[in-house]
Amino acid sequence: SLSPALSAEGIQSHRSLHTEYLNYEDNKFGKSHGVSVFADDAKATGIPADIWRFYLLDIRPESMNMAISWDHFRMIYNR
């Protein structure tokens, strides 16, 4: 059995994690908007998966909306 401090009743959130919107070339990103990238599309570019992962983590929209653009991708990749 969990101690009272570790039980669900004893847990208090001190920080809320959320993300803002991720856009693609100034369009809302998402299947419902007709703007999406699937793994097979990303693989077809020939860009290694680790590069995609780094880029997406680097631009993760934590405090404001962010946009994916090929120009920005090249700039980040070529740092």
Side-chain angles (χ1 to χ4, degrees):
S1 149
L2 292 174
S3 71
L6 296 176
S7 70
E9 294 81 22
I11 297 173
Q12 294 181 8
S13 176
H14 297 283
R15 186 173 155 200
S16 174
L17 299 175
H18 67 281
T19 58
E20 300 297 327
Y21 289 101
L22 181 61
N23 298 315
Y24 176 76
E25 300 284 352
D26 299 323
N27 294 306
K28 287 198 181 285
F29 199 91
K31 285 174 37 178
S32 64
H33 298 285
V35 179
S36 57
V37 175
F38 295 96
D40 54 343
D41 296 330
K43 184 178 179 182
T45 66
I47 298 168
D50 285 343
I51 301 300
W52 282 110
R53 288 184 196 106
F54 169 80
Y55 180 67
L56 292 172
L57 285 172
D58 189 56
I59 66 161
R60 185 174 184 260
E62 293 182 4
S63 60
M64 62 186 209
N65 292 350
M66 293 294 294
I68 293 174
S69 75
W70 286 107
D71 288 339
H72 187 252
F73 182 91
R74 280 188 283 278
M75 182 186 77
I76 297 296
Y77 179 70
N78 292 317
R79 277 190 212 174

